[in-house]
Amino acid sequence: MTTSASEVKEPVRCNRCIMDETVGGIRFDKDGVCNYCHMHDSMDKLFPIGKAGEKILKDIAVSIRKSGKGKPYDCVVGFSGGRDTSYCLHYAKEVLGLKPLAVHFDNGWTSEKARSNMENICAKLGVDLHIVTMDWDDSRELTNANIRACVPYVDLTNDIGIAYTLYSTAAKNDIKYILLSHSFREEGVAPLLWNYMDARYTRAIIKRFAKTKINHFKNADIHHFLYWLFIKRIKVVNVTNYYNDMGRQIENTLIERYGWQEPDGHHMDNELFILIYNYAWRKFGIDWRVVDVAAQVRTGILTREEGLAIMASPPYFDNEEFVSQSLEKQQMSREEFEAIIAAPNKYFLDYPNYYSWVKLFKWPFKLLCRMHILPIHAYEKYFEAI
Ligand SMILES: [Zn+2]
């Protein structure tokens, strides 16, 4: 029996943004509005922009400057050479008058454009750039192990590497603040089922799926976070959420002031993302663009129709030539990759993890996020997006 087109049911879609029921952890209220939209609204209240946002940032900057008195740096800025982190570094130095140390983690996939952006911006701002480069054999094997685990998101190198690098650099240099540039208005919050991460889960993946020994990789475990948060008292401020980061004025400032070059496609300061997104799209039917595009519809950067049109257009990560080059660099054969794509799909809940522990600490976790000790979107992600 064949199914006619009229019998194919369209997935249920949020009445406000463009997310549909295929998005991990999505729920709809009686008006057909999804929980990601509600999450957006609660963060919108916590992070005002305009005059109110400016005032909050200026007040935070006073505390940051005080914490760095007599020291060469008063904050670490996570830096990739992409749009958001580049503007955040500019804002920290030029607008807030801070003494940032720009910190970049390189898992071996930093693009040439991103590298030249970082060098130009730091030279023009007179900011020191600290780059931590992951051992390439470790990086390659960790990503391959992650792909073999058949889970939706396969980049533990960046996620853990960036966290470990930012905190350990701050701790080593006696810096009390880390400035991040994740924008819920532009980038949304990713579903937890799609990209969960913790140290126990990472260890399990390495143990089961790494074919060579991983020697130098630094896992960010609970005891590290306890040390960074409570002994070193390092706080995280998501600066981007307090200023208006919508529209072209950010790109224009970066181009005019620093000769900044726009990377091709979102996250393309790190070229591994073509492989990561292509894999998730083919294996799980996950189109990662939906997280950004839905956020931009909620914010009004895009209309709902424009958002739906983008999602209907071919994704930039549908690029077989680039995927083949990436697999070659990863030293993973096409046969192995295709066998993984065809194998049963798994989620983080299929492997050992700390999630049941994380759930026990829901309220202290919320408090730490609201106190800017942990990134504020972490609470939304771990408790509202599953
Ligand atoms: Zn929605």
Side-chain angles (χ1 to χ4, degrees), residues 21 28 32 38 44 49 51 54 121 178 198 212 222 249 324 327:
E21 60 187 331
F28 299 96
H38 289 301
D44 205 36
I49 49 177
K51 289 271 170 257
E54 261 174 46
I121 294 172
I178 295 173
D198 77 35
T212 58
I222 292 174
Q249 78 273 14
S324 292
L327 287 173

Side-chain angles (χ1 to χ4, degrees), residues 196-250:
Y196 181 88
M197 159 201 107
D198 77 35
R200 187 171 180 229
Y201 169 68
T202 306
R203 262 196 304 281
I205 300 242
I206 291 172
K207 196 171 166 203
R208 284 204 208 175
F209 299 106
K211 290 184 178 171
T212 58
K213 200 160 166 44
I214 290 178
N215 293 307
H216 310 285
F217 169 67
K218 300 270 199 303
N219 203 351
D221 213 327
I222 292 174
H223 67 274
H224 293 113
F225 280 101
L226 292 175
Y227 173 71
W228 293 326
L229 302 186
F230 301 110
I231 307 288
K232 299 304 284 185
R233 295 176 161 273
I234 296 168
K235 294 184 168 197
V236 171
V237 183
N238 217 326
V239 176
T240 316
N241 288 337
Y242 291 111
Y243 54 68
N244 186 344
D245 65 336
M246 295 166 264
R248 287 291 303 177
Q249 78 273 14
I250 289 200

Side-chain angles (χ1 to χ4, degrees), residues 14-19 26 28 32-38 298:
C14 174
N15 284 336
R16 181 173 154 199
C17 74
I18 54 152
M19 282 185 163
I26 201 162
F28 299 96
V33 175
C34 78
N35 51 322
Y36 291 91
C37 281
H38 289 301
R298 283 175 209 122

